Amino acid sequence: MEVDSADKSYIRELVKRLNAIVDTPGELSESSMNSVLELSKVLMNAADKSVEAGCDPAMALQHNLVACLKIATDLKIFDTLTAQSGKSWTAAQLGKPLNADSQLIVRIMRVMTAAGFAKETGISTYASTPKSEIMTRPQSTRGLSHAFSTNIQISQKSPEFFRRIGYRSTTMSEQTPFQYAYDTEDTYYERMEKKPEIAQNFSGGVRATRGTWLEWFPVQKELLEGARDDPNAVLMVDLGGGRGRDLAAFKAQFPDAPGRFVLEDQQHTLDSTDVQGIEKLSHDFFTAQPVKGARFYHTHYILHNWDDEKSILILKQIASAMTKGYSKVILNEWILPDMGCSLYEGLIDIQMLMAFTGMERTRGQWQSIIEAAGLKLTKFWMPPGYGEGIIEASL
Ligand SMILES: C[S@@+](CC[C@H](N)C(=O)[O-])C[C@H]1O[C@@H](n2cnc3c(N)ncnc32)[C@H](O)[C@@H]1O
């Protein structure tokens, strides 16, 4: 197998990035392990020159892997497998809770074991793997439920949608693939407002299990030093903060941080959460920001839901509430490389395109919307290895 020099230098670059993560002193954190995994996948694809890699016959059947995962989680197979460490279970035992046919279980488990979600310990007998445990987590089960209640239908219609619109990028001013698939004028979020069961799976499932920015961002130096030591001053506003996970994590990690914490979102989302020590404020982020002069305005996974025009409007509303020389904007989002995106980064960008006409952005794309909103880009902060970054801006 020949590897040409361009491929070789790309492979060398990927190995260098992997080494940089593994060589950092101390234990490997969960987010570093995620980075190692993602980079390894890119490396594997870069190094695999076999013709079969490009036309794997299983490729066009990948949707059935997701379907088998959903059926297995519905049957609580992963809960059973992980109930007792090291124990083996027969197909009949795995099917028992929901009276499922053993032959059906064997057929589902062929796929699950081949994909590493369980292992065979004998004929029609299975035990757990680390991936089995991951499939018992609410993020996984809710994420799969959300895929089946909402996202798969959009993917199915998307080739037809893009053919009809002549393969252009879309914006919110026209129909989205989501609206086309559901024949609705509601946006993705408006549909969820009407269907609370879908909203629950979305909030509980879409958040990936990656580590948080608080693990690596210099919070003390950049946000707490210089913050007003006044119990009435607002330290952090989280716009579209969902159930307040980021605020809760911040408060837990910095219990002595001064000032108030404000969670802003739509009323129906706020109704489903209560976090101690955090004020809830129903607010539409396309309208004037009511909390003036906070130390920082944080958003996580918000601007990637919206096209440039809407994202600029959100940023302008934040800018109008900021105090010059004091307030900061902290955007917690993917910062895509110009080349060499991981499969996850590519897929999450496509998800944004299909569901919202949103997008994951490169540095240049971030810079351009920040400047269009009248803000100054202060710095791109990247996590060690791989993961979501922080885009910092000020007035
Ligand atoms: C992808 S979720 C991100 C939630 C949270 N920041 C997180 O990372 O877990 C997007 C959030 O934006 C909220 N949202 C959507 N449209 C909004 C609007 N116009 N004004 C305020 N919040 C909105 C949704 O309710 C949802 O909680």
Side-chain angles (χ1 to χ4, degrees), residues 91 95 98-106:
L98 286 172
N99 207 17
D101 186 62
S102 294
Q103 198 185 51
L104 174 66
I105 301 289
V106 168

Side-chain angles (χ1 to χ4, degrees), residues 2-151:
E2 301 261 314
V3 176
D4 71 29
S5 61
D7 282 343
K8 206 168 156 189
S9 67
Y10 182 44
I11 289 169
R12 202 178 288 128
E13 172 59 31
L14 290 167
V15 171
K16 235 194 266 166
R17 282 161 66 185
L18 269 168
N19 280 336
I21 302 168
V22 178
D23 289 346
T24 39
E27 302 271 303
L28 279 179
S29 67
E30 191 177 333
S31 68
S32 300
M33 276 313 293
N34 276 322
S35 311
V36 168
L37 273 174
E38 289 297 332
L39 280 170
S40 306
K41 288 182 210 161
V42 180
L43 178 62
M44 215 174 79
N45 285 326
D48 190 349
K49 295 280 125 197
S50 60
V51 177
E52 289 76 16
C55 52
D56 180 348
M59 187 177 61
L61 297 173
Q62 286 292 325
H63 54 284
N64 286 337
L65 168 59
V66 187
C68 287
L69 274 170
K70 175 74 174 115
I71 298 167
T73 56
D74 289 348
L75 286 167
K76 307 238 174 288
I77 283 178
F78 301 111
D79 298 275
T80 308
L81 284 175
T82 54
Q84 284 177 49
S85 153
K87 181 173 156 103
S88 288
W89 301 81
T90 63
Q93 288 170 322
L94 290 182
K96 199 158 176 227
L98 286 172
N99 207 17
D101 186 62
S102 294
Q103 198 185 51
L104 174 66
I105 301 289
V106 168
R107 295 171 80 177
I108 301 282
M109 291 309 286
R110 275 189 196 128
V111 179
M112 295 297 89
T113 53
F117 291 98
K119 64 182 178 198
E120 286 171 317
T121 52
I123 294 174
S124 307
T125 310
Y126 312 94
S128 65
T129 66
K131 278 192 185 180
S132 318
E133 192 279 319
I134 289 171
M135 294 316 297
T136 65
R137 297 180 190 172
Q139 293 100 312
S140 305
T141 49
R142 290 202 163 153
L144 278 170
S145 294
H146 190 63
F148 277 85
S149 69
T150 306
N151 289 338

